[in-house]
Amino acid sequence: MNEDIEKVLIAEEVIERRLDVIAERIRSDFAKEDSLQVVGILKGALVFMADLLRRVPLRLEIECLNVASYHGGTESSGQVDFLDVKLPEVKGRSVLVLDDILDTGRTLAAVSEKLYEMGARKVKTCVLLTKDKERAAEGEADYSAFEIGDEFVVGYGLDYDGKYRNLPYVGVLKESVIG
Ligand code: 5GP
Ligand code: MG
């Protein structure tokens, strides 16, 4: 798997150190809330979620949402599909949405809108990566660990055609792999 990587963009130790900072910010921002509902966007947020949330010493409740916007390629399709039969109960609650990356911004915009429609009192967003580019949908994430250039990355939860999510770092694939 490692031989398919052209370059490592963000090393594992760098991610871990940064997660300590983001986790402390989340802890302090939500310390006064009675409860916090976390909603992770599958499957990209899986690795980020597990590593980040273990650093947040609050009584979190964790749910996941299955959302698709890429459909196998390396460009966002522009359409956000909710794949779950049943969505989490968020009425009157503070919700923190976690995703792997803010690209066009459509996913987080669609998910936040959906959660507000379902009666959430407050929705905040947190991503591992923010791509430095103009966004189709409005808004930046409330918490973002790293800003990267406008290129396709894999690892630490992010896939190419279903693979590479288990790489412990964020990297760029060799062109021969994307083909
Ligand atoms: P957005 O809706 O912000 O355009 O896209 C967000 C979703 O697109 C992310 O949750 C992620 O699944 C996917 N995505 C965006 N950029 C990348 C990328 O560089 N690599 C991978 N693997 N997925 C990406
Ligand atoms: Mg995703």
Side-chain angles (χ1 to χ4, degrees), residues 69-70 76 80 99-108 131 151-154 158-160:
S69 66
Y70 254 48
S76 180
V80 179
D99 204 358
D100 48 4
I101 185 165
L102 186 75
D103 181 19
T104 64
R106 287 196 190 95
T107 303
L108 281 182
K131 269 191 194 172
E151 60 185 334
F152 185 79
V153 296
V154 295
L158 293 119
D159 73 309
Y160 171 62

Side-chain angles (χ1 to χ4, degrees), residues 43-93:
K43 305 174 198 117
L46 210 55
V47 177
F48 175 46
M49 228 177 140
D51 284 352
L52 178 73
L53 297 181
R54 278 178 297 168
R55 291 170 158 83
V56 181
L58 298 175
R59 286 183 198 84
L60 306 175
E61 286 173 56
I62 303 173
E63 290 280 355
C64 293
L65 264 187
N66 217 335
V67 167
S69 66
Y70 254 48
H71 314 294
T74 61
E75 289 290 332
S76 180
S77 70
Q79 192 197 324
V80 179
D81 299 320
F82 288 81
L83 308 175
D84 297 281
V85 178
K86 194 174 167 288
L87 297 173
E89 183 57 63
V90 294
K91 218 180 194 112
R93 311 210 46 198

Side-chain angles (χ1 to χ4, degrees), residues 20-21 40 42 57 70 81 83 95 112 119 130 142 152 162 164 171 175:
D20 289 338
V21 176
L42 294 177
Y70 254 48
D81 299 320
L83 308 175
V95 184
S112 300
T130 295
D142 296 294
F152 185 79
Y164 306 102
E175 247 172 70

Side-chain angles (χ1 to χ4, degrees), residues 77-147:
S77 70
Q79 192 197 324
V80 179
D81 299 320
F82 288 81
L83 308 175
D84 297 281
V85 178
K86 194 174 167 288
L87 297 173
E89 183 57 63
V90 294
K91 218 180 194 112
R93 311 210 46 198
S94 284
V95 184
L96 178 66
V97 182
L98 300 186
D99 204 358
D100 48 4
I101 185 165
L102 186 75
D103 181 19
T104 64
R106 287 196 190 95
T107 303
L108 281 182
V111 169
S112 300
E113 190 186 317
K114 187 75 141 196
L115 292 169
Y116 276 124
E117 264 172 39
M118 291 165 64
R121 185 170 60 78
K122 175 166 98 182
V123 179
K124 297 282 179 192
T125 55
C126 174
V127 292
L128 175 73
L129 307 171
T130 295
K131 269 191 194 172
D132 182 18
K133 68 191 266 186
E134 270 197 36
R135 275 176 243 303
E138 256 179 69
E140 297 295 307
D142 296 294
Y143 306 90
S144 171
F146 300 98
E147 188 161 299

